[in-house]
């Protein structure tokens, strides 16, 4: 167990005592930007980053708000006061969704069309989407990359910032998910898709939610032409790859995925190797379609 995983497990144990939750036999589901554990009695614990208490509170509000507005999301366990705070890390407790599968592109497109049509909530504020949030810090703090790669990444960071600032706004800001990939919309046996990972729900251009599946199609070829057409049709016919600014958003999104790998690289050898591979791809040393491993 690496250091970050061990720290998350310790936070879970202490939070469980405070909230009277059984964590015997807890199973790690994810050790990413958030640590997620599956617990007995159909509960999932989600451990936020330090000093993210307000974000965790907002996730709970967003879940309730979306469910009231006809978009099914993961639901908090109402019997537990939330969030539980340990060492400035918020822990939220959610109802397990068993036996689910990732959504199809068509199912994802349908959900995003519904989400983007919502009027932003008035009972609590949503932040503005910040595509460069934390990216520079991850580059500067990475200890496993060469100085040549770091210099190149910082130059790219400045270039993408400039290109982004020069874009004409493609659409009116709306409620967006902020991390809209097929794994964040899951489908249980009941057949009703359920939205996960609500921490990046914000107000921004709809194109940010559309670009993630689009790059799966254009740069990684993870989905077929027919699957991408199904996504576009389900969304209502708008194809973000035909927008002149698509390449800028696509490059920023892929740059963010590199930065995420770097954020894990100092403590995880697999993440360091993956970050090195992703940088090589961006620098043109690996031809498309690319294959990037999930972290």
């Amino acid at each position: 167990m690496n250091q970050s995983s061990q720290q998350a497990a310790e936070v879970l144990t202490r939070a469980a005592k405070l909230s009277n939750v059984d964590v015997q036999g807890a199973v790690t589901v994810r050790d990413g930007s958030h640590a997620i554990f599956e617990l007995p009695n159909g509960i999932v614990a989600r451990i936020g980053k330090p000093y993210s208490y307000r974000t965790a509170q907002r996730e709970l509000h967003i879940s309730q708000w979306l469910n009231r507005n006809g978009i099914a999301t993961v639901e908090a366990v109402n019997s537990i006061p939330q969030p539980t705070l340990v060492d400035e890390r918020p822990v939220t407790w959610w109802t397990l969704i068993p036996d689910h599968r990732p959504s199809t592109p068509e199912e994802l497109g349908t959900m995003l069309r519904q989400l983007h049509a919502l009027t932003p909530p008035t009972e609590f504020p949503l932040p503005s989407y910040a595509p460069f949030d934390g990216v520079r810090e991850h580059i500067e703090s990475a200890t496993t990359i060469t100085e040549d790669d770091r210099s190149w990444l910082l130059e790219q960071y400045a270039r993408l910032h400039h290109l982004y600032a020069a874009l004409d706004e493609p659409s009116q800001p709306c409620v967006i998910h902020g991390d809209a990939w097929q794994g964040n919309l899951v489908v249980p046996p009941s057949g009703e898709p359920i939205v996960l990972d609500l921490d990046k729900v914000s107000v921004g251009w709809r194109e940010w939610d559309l670009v993630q599946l689009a790059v799966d199609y254009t740069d990684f070829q993870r989905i077929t032409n027919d699957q991408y057409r199904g996504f576009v049709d389900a969304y209502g016919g708008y194809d973000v790859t035909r927008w002149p600014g698509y390449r800028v958003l696509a490059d920023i999104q892929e740059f963010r995925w590199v930065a995420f790998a770097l954020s894990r690289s100092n403590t995880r050898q697999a993440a360091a190797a993956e970050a090195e591979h992703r940088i090589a791809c961006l620098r043109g040393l690996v031809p498309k379609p690319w294959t990037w491993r999930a972290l």
Side-chain angles (χ1 to χ4, degrees):
M1 181 182 294
N2 61 50
Q3 184 179 4
S4 63
S5 299
Q6 183 176 354
Q7 290 173 345
E10 292 172 356
V11 169
L12 174 66
T13 299
R14 292 168 59 189
K17 290 180 180 179
L18 291 171
S19 300
N20 195 28
V21 175
D22 179 12
V23 295
Q24 188 69 31
V27 176
T28 302
V29 176
R30 187 187 306 170
D31 181 21
S33 56
H34 292 75
I36 300 176
F37 296 88
E38 181 178 334
L39 312 179
N41 304 315
I43 295 175
V44 172
R46 182 181 174 92
I47 302 175
K49 294 180 288 188
Y51 306 102
S52 62
Y53 186 83
R54 290 186 178 180
T55 299
Q57 282 186 315
R58 189 171 62 245
E59 288 179 67
L60 297 166
H61 292 318
I62 288 168
S63 172
Q64 297 167 351
W65 176 72
L66 287 176
N67 278 293
R68 288 197 304 268
N69 282 275
I71 297 179
T73 77
V74 59
E75 296 186 4
V77 179
N78 293 326
S79 60
I80 305 174
Q82 306 213 39
T84 306
L85 191 64
V86 174
D87 288 344
E88 301 300 335
R89 297 189 70 176
V91 181
T92 48
W93 313 91
W94 303 87
T95 301
L96 176 69
I97 305 170
D99 303 325
H100 58 266
R101 62 169 174 80
S103 62
T104 65
E106 184 175 348
E107 289 165 337
L108 182 61
T110 298
M111 184 279 290
L112 290 177
R113 186 185 74 245
Q114 296 168 338
L115 177 66
H116 296 168
L118 293 179
T119 300
T122 56
E123 56 267 50
F124 60 92
L126 288 178
S128 297
Y129 186 67
F132 294 99
D133 188 30
V135 170
R136 186 182 183 92
E137 291 79 2
H138 294 326
I139 297 170
E140 292 178 337
S141 63
T143 61
T144 62
I145 58 174
T146 66
E147 288 307 311
D148 179 64
D149 277 343
R150 192 190 319 276
S151 176
W152 184 86
L153 288 169
L154 290 173
E155 289 176 2
Q156 282 292 100
Y157 177 84
R159 184 183 73 87
L160 291 172
H161 243 298
H162 176 75
L163 292 173
Y164 181 61
L167 285 176
D168 292 329
E169 293 190 5
S171 57
Q172 290 293 320
C174 63
V175 178
I176 65 172
H177 182 272
D179 193 14
W181 64 289
Q182 290 173 252
N184 275 342
L185 180 68
V186 300
V187 185
S190 66
E192 181 181 25
I194 298 174
V195 181
L196 306 181
D197 284 6
L198 306 174
D199 59 296
K200 292 184 176 64
V201 172
S202 50
V203 174
W205 298 343
R206 61 176 179 168
E207 284 74 14
W208 284 117
D209 276 348
L210 304 178
V211 75
Q212 296 198 44
L213 197 78
V215 296
D216 272 353
Y217 171 61
T218 62
D219 295 3
F220 295 88
Q221 294 185 8
R222 293 189 183 115
I223 60 174
T224 66
N225 182 68
D226 286 345
Q227 288 173 319
Y228 184 67
R229 293 313 315 170
F231 171 75
V232 171
D233 291 345
Y235 184 73
Y238 176 58
D239 182 354
V240 69
T241 68
R242 297 179 180 274
W243 172 52
Y246 166 69
R247 195 64 251 169
V248 174
L249 295 199
D251 288 348
I252 293 171
Q253 182 60 63
E254 290 164 354
F255 200 78
R256 286 170 52 85
W257 288 335
V258 170
F260 174 72
L262 289 174
S263 75
R264 315 298 293 169
S265 63
N266 293 346
T267 57
R268 293 175 56 183
Q269 185 175 357
E274 180 62 21
E276 182 180 0
H277 170 67
R278 294 183 184 188
I279 293 169
C281 289
L282 293 195
R283 298 194 71 169
L285 303 177
V286 180
K288 295 178 183 178
W290 295 329
T291 299
W292 292 6
R293 294 176 56 193
L295 295 171

